[in-house]
Amino acid sequence: MRENRSLGRALGLTLSSALLWGFAHLWVGRSRIGLALALIYTALLASGIAVATTFRTTALALLVRPGWLSAVVVITLVVAVFWALVIMASYRLVRPQPLTGGPRLFGGALVGALCLVVMAPLAYASRVAYVSHDLMTTVFAAPRSSVFPSGGDREHVEYLATKPRVNILLAGADAAKNRPGARTDSMTVASVDTRNGQTVLFSLPRNLEHVPMPEGPARDAFPDGFTGGGDSPGLLNEVYQWGEDNPALVPGVPDGQRGKTLLKATVGDILGLDIDYYAMVDMKGFAQMIDAIGGVTVTVKEDIVYGTYREGLVKAGTRRLTGEEALWFGRSRTDSDDYVRMGRQKCLLNAVAKQADAMTVLRGFEQIATVAKRYVSTDIPQTLLPALLDLSTKVKLAQIQSLQFVPPLISTANPDWTFIHTKVKEAITTPVHPEMPSRREALLTQPPDAVSLDAACG
């Protein structure tokens, strides 16, 4: 009889029903509904376990597709609401009658709190999925390249699978108050072996002169290499803004894309590589991204002074840097030069790549997404993300080498482009011998100075 049921037992049965749907229904004899709820719960639990274990890779690939992210938003919200309804229905079945006054309020409050406890993680998952969907559709555009006329997922995956290497230009743009436009003071090409993830980072200094321009209007305008104009010294870091400001150099490309298109082609010609994609980060957003993941731990080999009036200092030692400190670790040239700074930038990239694990990213995900939408641009299409995600897991386990084209290896005022092409080819074709890492390092260091990032960064 319901009149003989205690409030404590009712709450216990309600908690049991929250842990296994249908328990309270089976207790009071409503077997059909109880079994149905238990079967639904078991199916959902089994699916969740399978996704987290056996099909984890497939699930992660689906979660970088906007359509599936929309489905996750809806599914998690529906499950959250349904779970809360099961809890409330279970309590109504088993609560004692009559129940008034303080016991009624106490029981209702506990059941309400239980509903919030089970709904909160699902609501958060739905929120993350929603933010991810917004990020995917904002930063990663639908493919426009003629390589993928229909934009189908299969075409992108097959395209990547048929390439022995994929080359991605990573650029950092910096707009200073005392100069118009933005300059790409950081330019690195990540050349990744698609079979095993082994990667070489090719770094180019900002002050390369007379860089060859891509065929077409740009080369017609600068047949002997880029020289800028007016007060411009004609350095590599000006090519991006020059392309934005001169539509005739990159005909048919819309505003906001001309500079990146010209820089991508120019860097490709310098290295003798086909640059598949680019990713550009405005340096104003870099510090915010580091703060969003809780900082980054690096080894600072000596004190780094920064600021126009030497107002800042990043102290030496192995320490966890804030976003501002990390920005200046990779940006400052005070008491050093471009080439020392380039080395620090590679160490910083390596540290971020190794330390930004899934849980770290998840904790600051909304802030990361907000910063990325504002400060990151790329031509990587949405449909290629699953294949790149799979490739990134290989990169994380593979060797990462760094090759910097800096003096004395080259002369920035009069670079030997054939020499650069030769060294790039050597770096990406030299076989890796895991049992003899020193041999690979020796093959690449005399010259150029290509070394393991782990060894170089301490």
Side-chain angles (χ1 to χ4, degrees):
M1 297 290 293
R2 292 183 65 172
E3 291 78 5
N4 295 327
R5 297 173 189 160
S6 69
L7 179 59
R9 175 177 290 183
L11 291 173
L13 289 169
T14 303
L15 177 60
S16 298
S17 288
L19 300 175
L20 175 59
W21 296 357
F23 188 87
H25 290 75
L26 292 171
W27 182 271
V28 300
R30 298 196 178 186
S31 302
R32 184 176 297 178
I33 297 178
L35 286 173
L37 289 173
L39 286 173
I40 294 172
Y41 179 81
T42 302
L44 288 173
L45 182 61
S47 299
I49 293 174
V51 166
T53 55
T54 307
F55 301 106
R56 182 178 180 182
T57 302
T58 302
L60 289 174
L62 293 177
L63 290 179
V64 290
R65 302 188 186 195
W68 281 96
L69 286 170
S70 297
V72 170
V73 172
V74 175
I75 290 170
T76 50
L77 287 178
V78 168
V79 172
V81 172
F82 189 77
W83 203 331
L85 291 175
V86 168
I87 293 172
M88 291 187 287
S90 299
Y91 180 64
R92 291 190 58 167
L93 277 178
V94 298
R95 69 183 177 183
Q97 292 292 348
L99 187 64
T100 59
R104 180 186 179 95
L105 291 175
F106 178 73
L110 285 183
V111 171
L114 182 58
C115 290
L116 289 176
V117 167
V118 300
M119 291 180 70
L122 291 168
Y124 180 71
S126 180
R127 173 66 182 172
V128 169
Y130 174 79
V131 173
S132 299
H133 178 276
D134 188 36
L135 178 65
M136 293 297 106
T137 54
T138 301
V139 176
F140 300 96
R144 295 187 178 90
S145 171
S146 60
V147 175
F148 311 111
S150 65
D153 290 359
R154 180 177 299 178
E155 291 177 73
H156 283 280
V157 174
E158 290 179 351
Y159 169 70
L160 193 61
T162 58
K163 291 178 65 65
R165 307 193 72 87
V166 61
N167 303 307
I168 302 176
L169 170 63
L170 309 173
D174 191 8
K177 295 180 180 179
N178 60 348
R179 68 187 185 209
R183 294 183 182 176
T184 52
D185 286 343
S186 174
M187 288 160 285
T188 298
V189 171
S191 182
V192 185
D193 189 316
T194 56
R195 298 161 299 176
N196 52 35
Q198 287 162 353
T199 301
V200 182
L201 301 179
F202 297 108
S203 301
L204 294 173
R206 68 180 186 90
N207 59 337
L208 275 183
E209 298 181 36
H210 305 289
V211 295
M213 302 301 281
E215 289 186 10
R219 185 170 295 179
D220 294 340
F222 300 101
D224 298 320
F226 181 67
T227 55
D231 296 330
S232 166
L235 306 179
L236 175 60
N237 69 339
E238 300 173 60
V239 169
Y240 164 76
Q241 192 62 44
W242 198 269
E244 282 297 316
D245 295 339
N246 296 273
L249 295 183
V250 197
V253 179
D255 289 346
Q257 298 298 321
R258 286 192 297 267
K260 298 160 191 174
T261 301
L262 183 60
L263 180 65
K264 185 175 162 183
T266 301
V267 169
D269 281 355
I270 292 172
L271 297 176
L273 295 173
D274 292 326
I275 306 301
D276 300 286
Y277 306 103
Y278 76 84
M280 182 175 290
V281 180
D282 189 312
M283 298 307 290
K284 287 182 287 188
F286 179 77
Q288 297 177 39
M289 283 194 174
I290 296 298
D291 284 332
I293 63 173
V296 59
T297 300
V298 298
T299 297
V300 184
K301 295 184 177 180
E302 56 185 23
D303 289 352
I304 298 172
V305 179
Y306 63 85
T308 305
Y309 302 102
R310 306 174 68 89
E311 63 267 29
L313 175 68
V314 180
K315 293 183 179 180
T318 300
R319 354 188 350 256
R320 194 157 190 84
L321 305 184
T322 65
E324 181 181 7
E325 290 174 327
L327 176 62
W328 286 110
F329 174 81
R331 186 180 185 186
S332 177
R333 286 183 292 160
T334 305
D335 298 336
S336 63
D337 55 34
D338 279 325
Y339 316 122
V340 172
R341 177 174 72 170
M342 287 171 63
R344 294 200 303 263
Q345 289 171 353
K346 301 303 142 325
C347 292
L348 190 59
L349 285 175
N350 188 47
V352 172
K354 289 184 177 296
Q355 296 171 36
D357 55 43
M359 290 306 300
T360 300
V361 173
L362 186 60
R363 283 194 296 269
F365 185 71
E366 287 211 38
Q367 185 180 349
I368 293 171
T370 299
V371 174
K373 287 190 296 182
R374 185 173 181 182
Y375 294 110
V376 176
S377 62
T378 181
D379 62 351
I380 297 174
Q382 298 168 14
T383 46
L384 190 63
L385 292 177
L388 286 180
L389 182 65
D390 180 61
L391 182 59
S392 71
T393 60
K394 298 178 184 178
V395 172
K396 212 170 181 66
L397 299 173
Q399 295 185 27
I400 299 179
Q401 305 289 326
S402 177
L403 194 164
Q404 298 187 132
F405 289 105
V406 298
L409 181 63
I410 66 166
S411 165
T412 57
N414 187 30
D416 185 337
W417 308 115
T418 302
F419 175 80
I420 292 176
H421 289 185
T422 300
K423 292 307 172 184
V424 168
K425 187 175 181 180
E426 286 180 3
I428 64 177
T429 57
T430 301
V432 176
H433 301 280
E435 71 283 0
M436 298 178 60
S438 60
R439 178 173 182 268
R440 172 168 171 79
E441 186 171 323
L443 286 170
L444 293 176
T445 53
Q446 297 297 330
D449 185 19
V451 297
S452 164
L453 275 179
D454 288 331
C457 298

